[in-house]
Amino acid sequence: MQIFHADIVYSGSRDALIVHRDSYIAVECGVVEGIYGELPEKYAGAPLTDYGSGVIIPAFSDLHVHAPQYPQRGLGMDLLLADWLNTYTFPQEARFADPEYAAAVYEAFLNSLIENGTFHACVYGTIHRESTSGLLERMESLKLRAYVGKVNMDIQAPDSLRETVEESLRETEAFLERYSANRYSKPIITPRFAPTCSFELLKGLGRLSHKYHAGLQTHLVESRWEAAEAVRLNPDCSCDTQIYQKAGLLENGPVVAAHFIFPSNEDMRLLKQYNGYAVQCPDATVNVIAGIMGTASLSEAGIRLALGSDIAGGHLPGIYTQAARSVQLSKLKAFYEPEGNRPIPFANAFYMATREGGALFGKVGSLEPGYEFDALVIRDFSDPFRKIAPEETVERFCYTGNPADILARYIHGESVKTGCA
């Protein structure tokens, strides 16, 4: 049993934060037992850590991030998507044929996740099974809850990153077979996006999805070009999402659709039918001018929403910064496209970053009893001349904070340090 004292803030619903001022949170075997205004007598002898005016919040979940792109973050941001991919991303990803290079990059990437308080993530590797296996194994050892994918591409990709159908399926099955029984970090099927995968490959991946009960992560209707090109290559399908449905990839595990900016009504219907997530990546969509997700309208349509850093399309790894950007972009969307769009409150963005995103991984993302104590302690952001409320500290942290403002990090109740120690 552990007891922590501080102000405590977490999401109660999509539009409301729960705030416990000057309270105690009891954690037993890594799971929240309860929150108390006064410490119960039965816990009088339990170890107590007092964080004073600090604020305890749930750890963050990043549902779309490219681990191999970590070395290129903040580079080439003046290029549009196609030029950026060809100049930076594809040459960078080709280097992951070398497992030693991959291991060095992935160690830095994982340290950045922990440093920024992201303890749950949907992660893209590359087409290289050995390097991606090293990433997944390291995440499992750190007890980071994750879905990790060996990327699939057999068409419309550089020669250095293009597989044959047979090779892609063989390597993917070996990856799934080896790691599907993992406790924390599990494999997920990861076709980069429909224009880089033949339907023959997608059908084969669908068979593997059924065999290993594996979910799907991919880029979905990120741009108008992608939406049109996907249907051009698959003319018997009416929309991007239907291609994955016909391939049998939507029914065997979690479905994570990165970006989801230009969905048709059928895209939306199908994603909702399979309880999939639409993942907004605010910085990335601004950097490559893909477009602005209609967060409010998708939410009102009943689609689950989460946030992603999309390193390195996005330049900052902290999901807390993406919560702030999500609010900003919802205001821009409502201003320029007022019909059907409205600004979202900060509480909604924080919900996407914690509770809703965390639900993909189990009982994480909240501090209610029964949830794992995956948590951060952030400093009080009050000014010397004015005390602000705990919920205001959380908002200010998301807009102005950085890793130095995180006083402590806990994964399943265990204190963790940066440096992947």
Side-chain angles (χ1 to χ4, degrees), residues 127 153-164 167-168 196:
I127 67 166
M153 293 192 287
D154 73 320
I155 60 173
Q156 299 197 133
D159 291 343
S160 59
L161 294 172
R162 187 184 303 149
E163 310 164 288
T164 66
E167 176 187 17
S168 189
T196 61

Side-chain angles (χ1 to χ4, degrees), residues 6-310:
D7 294 324
I8 301 165
V9 177
Y10 58 91
S11 290
S13 66
R14 190 180 307 278
D15 295 318
L17 296 175
I18 300 295
V19 181
H20 296 271
R21 295 172 183 260
D22 190 19
S23 295
Y24 300 86
I25 184 165
V27 178
E28 185 172 11
C29 298
V31 176
V32 176
E33 186 278 330
I35 297 176
Y36 305 94
E38 298 288 337
L39 189 62
E41 181 63 30
K42 63 180 179 178
Y43 296 139
L48 186 149
T49 304
D50 192 343
Y51 287 107
S53 60
V55 181
I56 301 174
I57 62 173
F60 295 103
S61 296
D62 186 341
L63 266 62
H64 183 62
V65 59
H66 293 264
Q69 294 177 19
Y70 183 75
Q72 67 186 81
R73 66 200 184 283
L75 301 177
M77 295 287 90
D78 53 349
L79 299 178
L80 296 180
L81 180 58
D83 290 336
W84 181 76
L85 288 171
N86 290 319
T87 304
Y88 287 92
T89 301
F90 292 145
Q92 168 65 22
E93 291 193 8
R95 297 191 64 182
F96 284 72
D98 176 0
E100 290 188 10
Y101 176 76
V105 171
Y106 288 153
E107 193 71 10
F109 165 75
L110 293 175
N111 184 59
S112 177
L113 281 190
I114 293 171
E115 186 178 51
N116 283 279
T118 299
F119 299 161
H120 328 112
C122 289
V123 186
Y124 284 57
T126 61
I127 67 166
H128 312 99
R129 176 167 63 92
E130 184 176 355
S131 293
T132 307
S133 294
L135 169 63
L136 189 150
E137 290 172 6
R138 186 68 175 118
M139 296 189 79
E140 176 78 3
S141 74
L142 292 167
K143 300 182 180 179
L144 296 172
R145 296 199 176 272
Y147 288 101
V148 180
K150 187 210 89 64
V151 171
N152 305 102
M153 293 192 287
D154 73 320
I155 60 173
Q156 299 197 133
D159 291 343
S160 59
L161 294 172
R162 187 184 303 149
E163 310 164 288
T164 66
V165 171
E166 295 75 20
E167 176 187 17
S168 189
L169 294 177
R170 182 182 67 248
E171 293 293 286
T172 299
E173 180 160 23
F175 186 70
L176 293 170
E177 186 174 40
R178 183 169 181 180
Y179 298 113
S180 289
N182 275 16
R183 179 176 180 182
Y184 299 103
S185 296
K186 298 177 179 292
I188 190 169
I189 292 175
T190 308
R192 191 177 206 108
F193 63 159
T196 61
C197 296
S198 67
F199 192 70
E200 180 185 2
L201 174 56
L202 292 175
K203 282 285 289 183
L205 293 173
R207 290 190 292 271
L208 294 179
S209 173
H210 178 76
K211 181 177 179 179
Y212 293 96
H213 305 286
L216 168 77
Q217 65 174 352
T218 192
H219 301 82
L220 201 60
V221 291
E222 178 179 4
S223 67
R224 289 190 173 94
W225 172 85
E226 180 205 319
E229 182 68 3
V231 173
R232 185 187 73 80
L233 293 170
N234 299 273
D236 58 335
C237 296
S238 65
C239 68
D240 201 348
T241 311
Q242 190 179 52
I243 298 167
Y244 298 102
Q245 182 195 37
K246 288 195 171 186
L249 281 163
L250 300 183
E251 58 198 44
N252 303 300
V255 176
V256 183
H259 303 297
F260 210 66
I261 298 168
F262 298 102
S264 66
N265 289 335
E266 183 66 0
D267 284 305
M268 293 172 61
R269 185 189 72 79
L270 287 170
L271 191 64
K272 182 178 178 181
Q273 176 183 333
Y274 291 96
N275 201 32
Y277 280 79
V279 184
Q280 185 187 29
C281 306
D283 275 345
T285 55
V286 171
N287 286 334
V288 301
I289 313 300
I292 300 175
M293 176 191 274
T295 45
S297 59
L298 288 174
S299 178
E300 288 165 2
I303 292 173
R304 305 185 78 170
L305 299 176
L307 293 175
S309 65
D310 197 15

Side-chain angles (χ1 to χ4, degrees), residues 349-368:
F350 190 73
Y351 178 84
M352 292 162 63
T354 56
R355 188 174 188 130
E356 185 74 303
L360 182 71
F361 305 93
K363 298 284 281 187
V364 296
S366 178
L367 296 175
E368 292 180 357

